[in-house]
Amino acid sequence: ETCFGALRRELDHSEAEILEFLLSCAEQLPHKIPFYGTLIGLINLENEDFVKKLVEKTQNKFQDALDSGNCNGVRILMRLFTVMMCSKVLQPSTLVEIFEAFLSSAATTVDEEKGNPLWQPCADFYIICILSCLPWGGAELAEQIHEDIDRVMVGIEAYLSIRKRTSDTGLSFFESEDEIESGVNDKDFLEDLWDRIQALSSNGWKVESVPRPHLSFEAQLVVGKSHEFRRISLPHLPSPPSVPSGISFGKQKHEAELKYPQRIRRLNIFPSSKTEDLQPIDRFVMEEYLLDVLLFFNGCRKECASFMVGLPVSFRYEYLMAETIFSQLLMLPQPPFKPVYYTLVIIDLCKALPGAFPAVVAGAVRALFEKIADLDMECRTRLILWFSHHLSNFQFIWPWEEWAYVLELPSWAPQRVFVQEVLEREVRLSYWDKVKQSVENAPGLEELLPPKGGPNLSFGAEDGKENNEHVLSGELNNMVKGKVPVREIISWIDETVFPNNGLEVTLRVVVQTLLNIGSKSFTHLMTVLERYGQVIAKVCPDQDNQVMLIAEVSSFWKSNTQMTAIAIDRMMGYRLVSNLAIVRWVFSAENTDQFHTSDRPWEILRNAVSKTYNRNSDLRKEILALKKNISSAEEAAKEAKAELDAAESKLSLVDGEPVLGENPVRLNRLKSHAEKTKEEVVSLRESLEAKEALLARATDENEALFLLLYKSFSNVLMERLPTESGARTLRELKAAQVDEMAVDPEEPSLMELDSENQRPQNSQSNGRKKSGAYNVGEKEQWCITTLGYVKAFSRQYAAEIWPHIEKLDAEVLTEDAPPLFRSAVYSGLRRPINEA
């Protein structure tokens, strides 16, 4: 009421600003939409023209969101329409018309004869939009147009009966869940939401978590005028592939899932008793609130945390908040925002709720740690990076003594590897002695700390060679310090070093000496690579030599994983090493042996593939921007030419005589402008051609990269997968070595937690007995880890892999390839497993 009074006074002076402000508030603070809806209803009583303009503006935004595929815009504006209906600004029949348009489009889409079932993600999205409006306006719709809303509900039920249940294959947080076929009672997100809406309907549409401020003004609002709403038009979806095949279907299905992603995949960390007081619909509404705040305050972590702890509900929701944030942080294939955003929000929530949230976060960590062996490899990596960063903001305080038992586990046990990698990342964020001090309550864990030491400058073992290499290294060092030109250094190598010592010694001397000069800091390393990259390029011109170069970098920084990764990444950036050379080195024997015990080789491989992907992605963005610029430039050139032609054809008087053409000065200016715009179009087109040529080459390089990557995976797995076990799933492979005593058939599916300290009770998961034994063999664990990364790479770079899938199928994913390997690739790409 106070807000309405303030706005009413300003409406005459700032109508346009208030209209934009109201819409911005509704879009960016969607958990407060009921209040803004009521405010619009009150304004409608006194200024119908203003509200009419607002409705038109909202509808234009809604249509734009539909046309551009802006899922969040569509969903939130649908909610705004619902609360405007509650405030009598819109007729209930208007909302039903939108519902029926969505329902009709969805039903047509999943019809195999009339539509394209590959775009079911779009159809599901439309139905979710309808259902998600009902907590905000279901009561009013049921009261005012009972038959119409019943018809919509029957239509939704009919749609659910003809659609295919959505599978989470390849996107599950836990490997064990990914391999279990969905049972008849398992529901996907849409079916679960339908059940919650059914329960809400049975409960008389009462929702505790949705405020209903319009009820306080119902007597006033009822006399307001309802405004007209134009019919909406839904975008046309692509037709089914003209040549039906598993590959063409897979490509289009992948495109549909990218454009209409599922907003949340629930990660049930805590037992249901922690949130059992909530009504089924309240969980959905709270998730909507939390996800909306995360969406609109991305980049404003303090404001985000502040709004998350102050949602308009009367019950506590710390556990649900933690589950929702972790579900987003670990969401596959990618979190909606950068992982560091969620890290900062969790830190600020711990500070905002010091008496409650830190204990909830600790409980989540303990629960996830208990199931770490089943956690997807990509999720595991994100959890390690998050946890180490989180602890670095709280003085690295953690009760490590609880996890001291991991020392009794074999070096390949996932829980031991997790602790080891968290400690290694902590050292990167601080320093070795500080992290050692943080584990003083469990001194044995010092064994898992990374080596303490700097660079490892080493030359040949034989005395003569060693002295010779030291001499050569000293000479090169003096040349660098004396700022000898690069040309002279290359001549010295060609004339003196290489002929007398051979490639291996030359490469070791050059690389280790230059790395040693750049070892003081990241900046020193960058400077050395920039200035003397030509020297390295001269010594390592081909892929074989580049593999040797990477091995030397790894040897020099063997005590520092971070510097190894940075040096190789920078060398790839300066094109001193290729991505193919990095893949070959990662799959060399020295690295494959530590696939299951260290993240070191995987980090370097991730960086190489990610850098390649980013290069291609940047090229595509530049090409798209150039095409837009060309379109604008052509329009400007056309206008300039038209203006010039008009000026030239115009009669004007010069010295009293009629002359064709305008004033010569203006005419020259117009000619110059027309020529410049024409030249700009030509220049932009040339730039576009150059970029497209670069992209074509990059696409070929991309194909070579993924062919080599998957061939390497296939080869190492062929060598190591145990053929005698006959395992066709990871579960079977793991079970091959697990002692029967480690499996408790009565173990609950959820992680039961001690109510006081959130420690798991009676946990014997992952093949680990209470005594601390880990019963999966080393060979099996190596295979499980490697297959997990196969799936992770396939999933993360699916958009880059699909264009080359025919070649991959022909050369790598053949019948001779290990079945488990093919299954992992198919799972990551979300291809039907029966195609494997």
Side-chain angles (χ1 to χ4, degrees):
E1 202 166 2
T2 306
C3 184
F4 167 60
L7 287 180
R8 182 170 52 184
R9 288 192 297 272
E10 298 295 328
L11 264 179
D12 294 337
H13 314 292
S14 312
E15 182 178 291
E17 291 84 352
I18 290 174
L19 191 150
E20 289 293 336
F21 178 71
L22 267 175
L23 279 181
S24 296
C25 286
E27 288 174 333
Q28 297 177 29
L29 295 171
H31 59 284
K32 293 189 175 184
I33 274 183
F35 300 100
Y36 297 120
T38 305
L39 189 59
I40 293 167
L42 291 172
I43 294 173
N44 188 45
L45 298 174
E46 299 196 9
N47 195 331
E48 291 178 2
D49 289 342
F50 172 81
V51 174
K52 182 182 179 182
K53 291 176 187 174
L54 187 142
V55 169
E56 289 174 356
K57 177 86 171 176
T58 309
Q59 183 170 12
N60 291 338
K61 279 177 169 278
F62 183 60
Q63 189 62 59
D64 290 344
L66 283 170
D67 295 340
S68 62
N70 178 0
C71 295
N72 287 310
V74 171
R75 181 181 49 79
I76 286 165
L77 289 172
M78 287 271 286
R79 191 187 306 171
L80 179 59
F81 293 149
T82 305
V83 297
M84 286 164 74
M85 178 274 299
C86 294
S87 299
K88 314 301 179 188
V89 174
L90 294 176
Q91 287 285 356
S93 56
T94 298
L95 206 56
V96 170
E97 284 176 14
I98 299 175
F99 290 171
E100 289 182 332
F102 276 20
L103 190 53
S104 172
S105 174
T108 304
T109 299
V110 296
D111 187 308
E112 294 190 0
E113 293 180 4
K114 299 178 183 176
N116 184 359
L118 295 173
W119 282 82
Q120 184 180 307
C122 174
D124 282 356
F125 167 70
Y126 287 161
I127 302 302
I128 288 169
C129 281
I130 297 171
L131 293 177
S132 61
C133 288
L134 298 180
W136 279 266
E140 283 72 16
L141 289 169
E143 180 184 339
Q144 297 176 43
I145 48 169
H146 183 72
E147 290 181 1
D148 290 348
I149 197 62
D150 280 352
R151 188 173 66 250
V152 169
M153 298 292 269
V154 169
I156 292 174
E157 194 165 18
Y159 169 80
L160 288 170
S161 69
I162 60 174
R163 71 185 278 273
K164 289 182 180 177
R165 175 170 290 164
T166 303
S167 165
D168 275 349
T169 300
L171 301 176
S172 300
F173 298 107
F174 298 102
E175 296 285 0
S176 54
E177 294 173 3
D178 215 13
E179 292 188 344
I180 300 171
E181 291 295 324
S182 294
V184 290
N185 295 321
D186 295 333
K187 292 180 170 59
D188 62 22
F189 180 80
L190 177 53
E191 291 168 332
D192 176 77
L193 177 56
W194 171 247
D195 284 353
R196 292 172 191 268
I197 294 296
Q198 291 284 81
L200 174 62
S201 174
S202 303
N203 193 32
W205 301 100
K206 294 175 184 173
V207 190
E208 189 180 348
S209 51
V210 175
R212 298 167 64 76
H214 64 278
L215 294 179
S216 303
F217 303 93
E218 197 166 20
Q220 299 161 250
L221 293 172
V222 75
V223 299
K225 178 187 175 183
S226 296
H227 297 271
E228 295 295 322
F229 200 90
R230 299 189 309 275
R231 185 176 292 277
I232 61 166
S233 63
L234 297 175
H236 294 290
L237 297 177
S239 301
S242 54
V243 181
S245 69
I247 291 174
S248 60
F249 286 162
K251 286 179 179 177
Q252 199 170 107
K253 182 170 178 282
H254 176 71
E255 183 188 347
E257 288 175 345
L258 281 180
K259 191 165 183 180
Y260 296 96
Q262 188 172 307
R263 198 169 184 222
I264 186 173
R265 285 186 171 80
R266 292 191 177 100
L267 175 61
N268 296 313
I269 302 174
F270 304 107
S272 56
S273 59
K274 297 296 178 185
T275 53
E276 65 186 2
D277 292 340
L278 291 180
Q279 292 297 318
I281 197 62
D282 285 323
R283 173 166 187 136
F284 168 75
V285 171
M286 288 303 300
E287 287 170 345
E288 287 286 285
Y289 285 159
L290 294 166
L291 295 178
D292 287 340
V293 172
L294 284 167
L295 170 66
F296 288 105
F297 289 95
N298 172 36
C300 308
R301 27 87 66 104
K302 290 190 181 298
E303 289 84 352
C304 176
S306 173
F307 276 105
M308 287 183 93
V309 300
L311 293 175
V313 294
S314 58
F315 47 79
R316 297 186 64 172
Y317 52 90
E318 291 91 350
Y319 289 96
L320 180 55
M321 185 158 62
E323 281 191 347
T324 303
I325 295 172
F326 277 106
S327 74
Q328 296 291 286
L329 171 65
L330 302 180
M331 181 178 269
L332 298 170
Q334 297 282 1
F337 305 107
K338 291 182 178 179
V340 69
Y341 171 51
Y342 302 102
T343 306
L344 297 174
V345 169
I346 291 172
I347 289 168
D348 286 326
L349 287 172
C350 286
K351 292 175 180 176
L353 299 170
F357 204 65
V360 174
V361 172
V365 172
R366 291 186 177 102
L368 289 169
F369 181 72
E370 282 301 308
K371 292 195 73 175
I372 202 73
D374 280 334
L375 195 63
D376 180 271
M377 294 307 302
E378 170 65 21
C379 294
R380 203 182 300 183
T381 302
R382 282 190 223 157
L383 190 64
I384 288 167
L385 295 175
W386 164 77
F387 189 47
S388 54
H389 189 177
H390 181 78
L391 291 181
S392 73
N393 282 271
F394 295 95
Q395 291 85 47
F396 298 99
I397 296 170
W398 181 256
W400 291 106
E401 62 276 9
E402 292 179 14
W403 292 350
Y405 68 83
V406 300
L407 292 167
E408 303 167 17
L409 305 178
S411 61
W412 60 85
Q415 289 186 332
R416 179 180 173 124
V417 174
F418 177 84
V419 173
Q420 169 189 301
E421 293 301 326
V422 168
L423 293 174
E424 196 275 331
R425 293 284 175 169
E426 285 188 353
V427 170
R428 296 190 192 190
L429 296 167
S430 181
Y431 54 96
W432 196 89
D433 291 317
K434 173 70 175 174
V435 177
K436 178 190 173 186
Q437 184 184 352
S438 73
V439 297
E440 59 187 7
N441 290 339
L445 290 179
E446 289 178 26
E447 180 187 327
L448 300 183
L449 284 170
K452 184 183 182 181
N456 176 43
L457 185 63
S458 61
F459 294 110
E462 296 177 21
D463 291 342
K465 271 192 175 181
E466 184 176 352
N467 291 336
N468 183 40
E469 289 176 13
H470 274 296
V471 170
L472 292 171
S473 176
E475 288 183 37
L476 179 56
N477 195 45
N478 290 334
M479 286 182 181
V480 172
K481 285 185 177 177
K483 298 187 178 178
V484 173
V486 169
R487 214 170 37 250
E488 292 183 24
I489 295 176
I490 291 174
S491 299
W492 172 72
I493 291 170
D494 285 345
E495 295 167 9
T496 308
V497 184
F498 184 74
N500 299 324
N501 300 278
L503 173 63
E504 192 174 336
V505 171
T506 303
L507 192 146
R508 182 159 57 244
V509 167
V510 170
V511 173
Q512 295 223 6
T513 304
L514 292 177
L515 286 176
N516 194 49
I517 293 168
S519 64
K520 290 182 181 177
S521 68
F522 301 147
T523 311
H524 282 74
L525 175 63
M526 300 306 108
T527 305
V528 165
L529 292 177
E530 282 176 13
R531 290 182 182 172
Y532 301 101
Q534 293 176 43
V535 178
I536 297 174
K538 176 69 178 175
V539 179
C540 307
D542 57 36
Q543 202 179 109
D544 290 337
N545 291 3
Q546 289 171 11
V547 173
M548 294 170 65
L549 164 61
I550 299 167
E552 284 299 329
V553 174
S554 178
S555 171
F556 182 82
W557 286 113
K558 68 180 183 181
S559 298
N560 193 321
T561 300
Q562 184 181 22
M563 284 303 294
T564 305
I566 289 173
I568 294 172
D569 182 72
R570 288 290 83 210
M571 285 180 171
M572 183 179 166
Y574 292 124
R575 302 205 178 257
L576 301 177
V577 297
S578 68
N579 49 19
L580 301 181
I582 294 173
V583 171
R584 280 181 54 188
W585 175 78
V586 166
F587 283 92
S588 60
E590 63 175 304
N591 290 311
T592 53
D593 287 342
Q594 51 179 321
F595 274 7
H596 58 318
T597 59
S598 171
D599 189 52
R600 184 184 178 106
W602 297 118
E603 180 182 2
I604 292 163
L605 184 60
R606 283 196 302 267
N607 289 349
V609 180
S610 175
K611 187 176 280 290
T612 305
Y613 169 78
N614 289 337
R615 280 177 182 169
N616 294 355
S617 182
D618 290 344
L619 274 174
R620 290 191 189 99
K621 287 175 185 173
E622 288 170 15
I623 287 171
L624 197 62
L626 277 170
K627 285 180 177 176
K628 287 181 181 176
N629 292 341
I630 287 173
S631 179
S632 302
E634 285 176 340
E635 192 65 33
K638 188 178 176 183
E639 288 176 6
K641 181 72 168 58
E643 196 174 356
L644 177 62
D645 290 346
E648 286 178 336
S649 62
K650 195 173 181 182
L651 282 172
S652 60
L653 289 173
V654 177
D655 297 331
E657 297 291 327
V659 177
L660 195 64
E662 277 196 4
N663 183 305
V665 176
R666 184 170 184 271
L667 208 55
N668 288 336
R669 191 171 68 248
L670 289 173
K671 282 180 182 176
S672 174
H673 179 59
E675 286 171 6
K676 280 182 181 176
T677 55
K678 192 175 178 181
E679 286 170 6
E680 188 179 352
V681 171
V682 172
S683 173
L684 286 169
R685 281 180 178 159
E686 288 173 355
S687 298
L688 179 63
E689 286 177 14
K691 292 291 182 186
E692 286 178 335
L694 283 174
L695 182 60
R697 192 175 75 183
T699 303
D700 292 340
E701 290 175 358
N702 219 29
E703 183 180 270
L705 170 66
F706 283 110
L707 277 172
L708 178 61
L709 178 63
Y710 282 105
K711 281 177 182 175
S712 303
F713 269 126
S714 181
N715 291 339
V716 295
L717 283 161
M718 189 87 79
E719 292 169 8
R720 302 200 186 207
L721 273 171
T723 52
E724 66 279 359
S725 71
R728 295 192 63 85
T729 65
L730 292 183
R731 179 178 286 272
E732 291 175 10
L733 186 62
K734 191 178 289 190
Q737 286 282 319
V738 176
D739 185 82
E740 291 180 6
M741 294 296 291
V743 181
D744 179 5
E746 301 299 322
E747 183 181 357
S749 59
L750 285 169
M751 296 167 270
E752 296 296 333
L753 303 176
D754 182 298
S755 59
E756 292 183 7
N757 57 18
Q758 300 302 309
R759 295 177 190 173
Q761 299 173 332
N762 303 321
S763 176
Q764 299 180 27
S765 60
N766 308 320
R768 183 178 66 80
K769 297 180 182 179
K770 287 185 180 180
S771 62
Y774 183 73
N775 298 293
V776 176
E778 181 170 14
K779 191 175 182 181
E780 285 72 21
Q781 185 61 51
W782 184 95
C783 294
I784 290 166
T785 302
T786 306
L787 288 166
Y789 277 108
V790 169
K791 183 163 78 169
F793 277 106
S794 304
R795 180 177 51 224
Q796 188 169 358
Y797 299 104
E800 297 294 313
I801 294 168
W802 272 111
H804 312 298
I805 199 69
E806 288 91 346
K807 199 156 188 178
L808 274 172
D809 279 352
E811 297 187 22
V812 184
L813 303 173
T814 62
E815 291 183 1
D816 297 331
L820 276 172
F821 165 66
R822 282 192 292 150
S823 294
V825 177
Y826 277 53
S827 178
L829 295 175
R830 288 175 57 72
R831 291 175 80 177
I833 210 69
N834 54 14
E835 288 185 25

